[in-house]
Amino acid sequence: MKKMLAAAVSRVLGGGAQKPASRVLVASCNYSNDATFEIKKCDLHRLEEGPPVTAVLTREDGLQYYRMMQTVRRMELKADQLYKQKFIRGFCHLCDGQEACYVGLKAGANPSDHAITAYRAHGLCYAYGLSVQSILAELTGRRGGCAKGKGGSMHMYGRNFYGGNGIVGAQGQIFEAYNMAALWKLPCIFICENNRYGMGTAIERASASTDYYKRVNFIPGLRVDGMDVLCVREATKFAADYCRSGKGPIVMELQTYRYHGHSMSDPGISYRTREEIQNIRSKSDPIMLLKDKMLNNKLSSIEELKEIDVGVRKEIDDAAQFATTDPEPPLEELGHHVYNNNLPFEVRGTNQWIKFKSIS
Amino acid sequence: MAAVSGLVRRPLEQVTVREAINQGMDEELERDEKVFLLGEEVAQYDGAYKVSRGLWKKYGDKRIIDTPISEMGFAGIAVGAAMAGLRPICEFMTFNFSMQAIDQVINSAAKTYYMSGGLQPVPIVFRGPNGASAGVAAQHSQCFAAWYGHCPGLKVVSPWNSEDAKGLIKSAIRDNNPVVVLENELMYGVPFEFSSEAQSKDFLVPIGKAKIERQGTHITVVSHSRPVGHCLEAATVLSKEGIECEVINMRTIRPMDIETIEASVVKTNHLVTVEGGWPQFGVGAEICARIMEGPAFNFLDAPAVRVTGADVPMPYAKILEDNSVPQVKDIIFAIKKTLNI
């Protein structure tokens, strides 16, 4: 009797493992192949026209974007946990809330496009092909990390991806870069992840103008809804096409939000209210927005998305397991990789009798 | 009357390095209205490391100023303010970020009095945490003592304990020259006893004078900042083996108090230097060179030995980081090697 009841209950709740095969078959026939959505019109600067105001989302793409965003979200939350458990040390800047920026960017760009970013890099690292395992193991400083444990949170690199950088001296350098990019018509998209705060200071207190997409008189700009993955994708495609056509650089301001504080040592509530954070979570969460779009247009089902969630959770848990058990890099390799393409030499340790071999 | 008040001593209080710097700045802000503090998160956030806690509440927007994340820009503004007659304290969240502004520190601040033939002083203080922290990796762990100590026109101080911190920040603010104050993040929360002198609002630690923290006869151990504590630990361990170390806290990197070091070496005949920075062209290298050039050389019974950070960008993984910064065991090893024990 108990068993029958349990089976009935689980069928009603749509539990994964006990779904009868026939039910699954029926379910997939009910999905649409794609759906068209209206997306927010981008604010334009020095552009006659901007990205399209509608976007087509295929079921396949939708599932992929959902999976990727959920992976970034869960990965960042796992990093939060590992940091509190002291497996991760030093600085840790999390990007949960900003998932649509990275997934949308990747969806709109080509794999051969190079990218570079600042310290809030884990999401973009994942989008650029670094595995969750290699990212988490780098955060915990193990030999299986993407930088062999030597870089840490802010210094992760990949193919066509130049990190992860810890020093950001905002204003001056960016204008030098703008000038040269425009002067030489370099195909460069300058992306501003505008999450409303610079560390603990609201943008209104640090910027004479917060219309970052308009900042450069001679470079066109877009202001994009960074919480909508389709909006980011279309804007990226538009910006990439603009650059590839030889017209020069373009600025893309993504309006987004980070749920965590600036870093793990910032609670993030001394300069903003809990209400503000909760409001964004309930109205503008990027994963929720995509999920709603897909469910309301029969691109997927609650069960299918739940299955993806389960799969993501497992991937993250396995990665965390690796990241907390993989050994640290061997001490003998402390001196490696100081120079590239160099004959081996010796590196001095903390006194003249301690030497480490340095190979390229 | 005066005699009676001299006999009444306040009890020793425990003050952390963070509180000491805060006190020092607070007292100087109160004493001279031309003094002001600017930097990232110094005002409304109370300081990224809470060193300026309470100051904005007490002194307001005109004296405690939050800047955008623009080191080159705000350092330049600070130097200009100093030239015009104000006394700015320019905070770098860590000295790693000062590299963004280093042209202002060197070319606009350090060299100007000389270049102007004595016309234009630049009474500015650049302060912030320097050197390695814990797990902050390559771009956030560099020690700038040697870099700034290299430049004529700058004064460079490196406090270890709370008295150093309070006395040196006050002297730096009162000094009419550009002074770089290299604090240490790991020391901010460490409490030390404050003598009654240190509790005074006119307590100053002179720039350019080292302090002998521990007397000894067998070997001179010279250090600055956090490693001073490690040297004292090493000295305690070695004392049980009958080795008495004289531990010198440099307090000032530039102008270096080489006389105190020389007098000690003349007494002990052995020298070990200890620093967190890289070995090449470092503080220890300068000390060794100066000893060679001076009267103490002839009193050395063995070559001087340097204990330093490892000659690599700071790795992140804990085992590698632990082996890239001088530990107490490295200091003990170096001392014994020098003494041929």
Side-chain angles (χ1 to χ4, degrees):
Chain A
M1 179 60 181
K2 241 198 209 162
K3 257 199 196 158
M4 269 171 59
L5 195 57
V9 165
S10 70
R11 261 203 294 277
V12 164
L13 293 177
Q18 281 153 313
K19 242 190 296 213
S22 56
R23 193 153 169 269
V24 171
L25 197 58
V26 163
S28 65
C29 287
N30 281 347
Y31 294 138
S32 315
N33 271 330
D34 56 52
T36 304
F37 297 96
E38 277 181 19
I39 53 177
K40 191 169 171 207
K41 187 173 188 299
C42 295
D43 295 317
L44 303 177
H45 170 65
R46 297 209 175 278
L47 282 168
E48 290 300 313
E49 36 174 53
V53 293
T54 59
V56 173
L57 178 66
T58 65
R59 182 176 131 74
E60 198 186 320
D61 281 347
L63 292 173
Q64 191 199 35
Y65 301 162
Y66 180 83
R67 189 177 211 290
M68 284 180 76
M69 289 204 285
Q70 195 67 290
T71 304
V72 173
R73 172 68 56 92
R74 298 251 144 245
M75 179 179 73
E76 294 294 80
L77 294 178
K78 179 58 75 176
D80 170 285
Q81 194 184 42
L82 290 172
Y83 192 92
K84 287 170 177 155
Q85 293 171 326
K86 299 202 189 306
F87 284 106
I88 301 176
R89 311 179 307 130
F91 295 135
C92 190
H93 309 87
L94 300 177
C95 68
D96 50 309
Q98 300 188 195
E99 295 84 359
C101 297
Y102 312 116
V103 175
L105 175 74
K106 205 65 186 57
N110 287 351
S112 56
D113 294 332
H114 301 216
I116 187 171
T117 189
Y119 43 75
R120 200 174 307 283
H122 308 157
L124 197 58
C125 289
Y126 176 72
Y128 258 79
L130 294 179
S131 69
V132 177
Q133 179 173 290
S134 68
I135 293 172
L136 289 183
E138 186 59 37
L139 290 176
T140 54
R142 309 300 167 106
R143 62 181 71 184
C146 51
K148 304 186 171 63
K150 292 170 100 169
S153 169
M154 298 173 287
H155 310 300
M156 301 187 189
Y157 301 82
R159 195 162 171 276
N160 292 343
F161 178 60
Y162 304 99
N165 286 279
I167 311 290
V168 293
Q171 332 278 354
Q173 288 179 353
I174 190 88
F175 275 88
E176 291 183 358
Y178 285 153
N179 183 47
M180 286 185 276
L183 186 64
W184 297 326
K185 289 206 166 17
L186 303 178
C188 181
I189 307 177
F190 291 96
I191 300 174
C192 171
E193 291 171 24
N194 179 2
N195 55 23
R196 309 195 198 174
Y197 298 94
M199 290 193 286
T201 303
I203 51 176
E204 295 79 20
R205 287 184 58 230
S207 298
S209 161
T210 56
D211 291 333
Y212 298 104
Y213 71 111
K214 279 190 192 170
R215 264 207 168 175
V216 197
N217 197 26
F218 44 84
I219 298 182
L222 301 170
R223 182 158 59 189
V224 181
D225 179 0
M227 302 306 258
D228 178 352
V229 67
L230 292 179
C231 218
V232 177
R233 183 188 76 186
E234 293 307 314
T236 304
K237 274 192 194 156
F238 176 87
D241 286 341
Y242 180 91
C243 290
R244 286 191 238 284
S245 67
K247 298 198 187 99
I250 188 168
V251 173
M252 211 163 80
E253 176 188 335
L254 304 175
Q255 292 188 302
T256 184
Y257 199 82
R258 53 162 164 84
Y259 293 138
H260 269 84
H262 162 69
S263 70
M264 287 303 295
S265 43
D266 170 31
I269 46 170
S270 63
Y271 49 87
R272 50 184 198 173
T273 61
R274 284 188 215 269
E275 288 74 40
E276 179 186 282
I277 305 169
Q278 198 33 49
N279 200 33
I280 304 276
R281 253 193 224 281
S282 56
K283 299 213 179 88
S284 316
D285 184 279
I287 299 175
M288 176 196 78
L289 289 178
L290 177 65
K291 184 175 177 180
D292 288 346
K293 281 188 167 78
M294 292 183 66
L295 293 179
N296 294 339
N297 292 270
K298 292 198 166 48
L299 292 175
S300 184
S301 65
I302 292 183
E303 292 84 16
E304 189 176 34
L305 295 181
K306 263 214 183 86
E307 260 186 72
I308 295 180
D309 289 348
V310 168
V312 165
R313 205 165 259 126
K314 181 168 193 315
E315 184 184 347
I316 305 298
D317 285 343
D318 288 348
Q321 175 65 17
F322 176 81
T324 50
T325 52
D326 195 40
E328 285 191 288
L331 185 56
E332 304 78 62
E333 292 183 12
L334 188 151
H336 288 356
H337 310 118
V338 174
Y339 293 125
N340 172 255
N341 199 28
N342 214 53
L343 291 174
F345 65 102
E346 277 188 332
V347 155
R348 188 189 149 116
T350 51
N351 63 45
Q352 71 216 55
W353 299 282
I354 300 176
K355 297 254 191 268
F356 295 98
K357 189 144 190 237
S358 183
I359 60 172
S360 295
Chain B
M1 252 334 184
V4 169
S5 63
L7 284 170
V8 175
R9 291 173 69 86
R10 272 177 283 173
L12 294 174
E13 51 170 309
Q14 293 266 324
V15 178
T16 63
V17 171
R18 171 186 286 118
E19 287 161 351
I21 301 169
N22 186 283
Q23 259 184 46
M25 288 199 289
D26 192 355
E27 288 169 8
E28 295 306 299
L29 283 159
E30 197 177 277
R31 178 180 176 269
D32 182 351
E33 60 181 9
K34 296 202 285 303
V35 176
F36 71 100
L37 171 67
L38 85 167
E40 296 158 13
E41 312 294 358
V42 297
Q44 295 189 19
Y45 197 81
D46 271 340
Y49 298 102
K50 307 299 179 202
V51 177
S52 54
R53 183 188 277 135
L55 295 180
W56 175 68
K57 208 167 170 193
K58 187 171 173 183
Y59 295 102
D61 286 333
K62 284 219 172 308
R63 309 284 301 284
I64 313 292
I65 302 171
D66 275 338
T67 63
I69 306 172
S70 315
E71 277 76 9
M72 177 69 98
F74 69 71
I77 286 177
V79 173
M83 288 180 178
L86 294 178
R87 304 190 77 90
I89 308 167
C90 176
E91 177 181 297
F92 292 120
M93 196 177 280
T94 75
F95 267 95
N96 301 284
F97 310 126
S98 75
M99 277 203 284
Q100 296 279 312
I102 203 162
D103 177 72
Q104 296 289 4
V105 179
I106 306 302
N107 279 327
S108 301
K111 297 178 184 171
T112 295
Y113 193 65
Y114 183 90
M115 294 190 292
S116 65
L119 279 180
Q120 179 62 73
V122 186
I124 189 169
V125 172
F126 296 103
R127 53 159 291 274
N130 175 60
S133 178
V136 294
Q139 290 179 343
H140 289 80
S141 306
Q142 191 170 330
C143 175
F144 288 84
W147 282 35
Y148 288 122
H150 192 55
C151 300
L154 275 186
K155 296 192 182 179
V156 181
V157 299
S158 182
W160 165 57
N161 64 11
S162 299
E163 284 201 14
D164 292 352
K166 180 176 172 180
L168 286 172
I169 190 74
K170 285 168 74 75
S171 295
I173 293 168
R174 295 189 194 190
D175 199 307
N176 281 347
N177 296 288
V179 182
V180 169
V181 181
L182 302 172
E183 299 160 9
N184 186 294
E185 196 231 313
L186 294 173
M187 294 303 294
Y188 279 152
V190 180
F192 291 91
E193 274 179 356
F194 244 28
S195 63
S196 53
E197 289 85 26
Q199 294 172 30
S200 150
K201 285 192 174 171
D202 280 310
F203 172 68
L204 298 172
V205 165
I207 295 179
K209 200 84 192 68
K211 183 177 180 208
I212 300 177
E213 298 286 349
R214 183 190 194 280
Q215 303 256 8
T217 46
H218 297 123
I219 183 164
T220 301
V221 184
V222 186
S223 185
H224 72 97
S225 189
R226 185 162 177 263
V228 171
H230 296 332
C231 293
L232 289 169
E233 271 185 65
T236 305
V237 170
L238 289 167
S239 182
K240 299 194 183 81
E241 297 175 42
I243 303 167
E244 296 303 327
C245 302
E246 182 145 290
V247 177
I248 299 179
N249 172 7
M250 290 175 72
R251 287 178 156 180
T252 299
I253 305 292
R254 182 178 188 118
M256 190 187 290
D257 179 5
I258 196 66
E259 289 81 18
T260 298
I261 302 173
E262 279 173 337
S264 177
V265 171
V266 163
K267 184 173 78 170
T268 68
N269 313 121
H270 297 86
L271 174 62
V272 166
T273 70
V274 184
E275 69 199 282
W278 293 316
Q280 302 197 33
F281 309 92
V283 174
E286 176 66 14
I287 293 172
C288 289
R290 298 255 203 125
I291 291 292
M292 299 244 278
E293 291 167 356
F297 171 70
N298 288 308
F299 289 82
L300 279 174
D301 285 346
V305 160
R306 300 174 293 159
V307 179
T308 67
D311 202 16
V312 289
M314 184 67 74
Y316 169 66
K318 186 154 202 318
I319 186 177
L320 300 184
E321 187 185 54
D322 287 346
N323 281 275
S324 298
V325 295
Q327 305 282 359
V328 176
K329 62 174 170 61
D330 299 316
I331 302 171
I332 292 174
F333 184 84
I335 290 171
K336 286 187 168 175
K337 268 281 201 179
T338 312
L339 291 171
N340 207 17
I341 295 171

